[in-house]
Amino acid sequence: MTETTAAATELTSQYKNQVASDLDRNVKEQERVTAELTALQQQLASLQHDHSVLVSVQQALGATPAARRPAQAALRPPPGRRSPRPDRVGR
């Protein structure tokens, strides 16, 4: 019975170490992703500002607004419609 208890204690210790290691890796990955997300949000804000300035310049010049929408909106299918399946495009 002592061997069984020792084996169980060793296994529990291994699990504790593995969980602690996994948690540490998880926290580091969260920090990395958070930093990347922050940088992307700043880049998006800058692009949105640039877009606003360009639209204002375009309007001041009396030009016809561009038919292009921001990429994010252009990638979404209209409400109620599904995106075409890649294997059915061109059929």
Side-chain angles (χ1 to χ4, degrees):
M1 184 116 162
T2 305
E3 289 179 27
T4 304
T5 304
T9 301
E10 176 63 25
L11 186 58
T12 300
S13 177
Q14 289 175 0
Y15 277 125
K16 285 180 182 179
N17 289 337
Q18 184 63 48
V19 168
S21 176
D22 290 349
L23 282 170
D24 186 48
R25 260 193 310 276
N26 181 281
V27 168
K28 288 177 182 175
E29 184 67 5
Q30 287 184 52
E31 290 169 352
R32 183 194 67 77
V33 169
T34 298
E36 188 175 333
L37 179 58
T38 299
L40 288 170
Q41 286 173 328
Q42 290 171 347
Q43 184 179 0
L44 177 59
S46 177
L47 289 168
Q48 288 170 332
H49 176 264
D50 291 350
H51 182 268
S52 178
V53 170
L54 291 168
V55 167
S56 295
V57 169
Q58 185 180 48
Q59 289 171 348
L61 294 172
T64 306
R68 257 187 107 146
R69 296 179 292 177
Q72 185 179 27
L75 292 177
R76 265 190 246 123
R81 296 202 59 209
R82 292 173 43 190
S83 299
R85 288 181 34 195
D87 61 335
R88 300 206 178 208
V89 174
R91 285 189 179 176

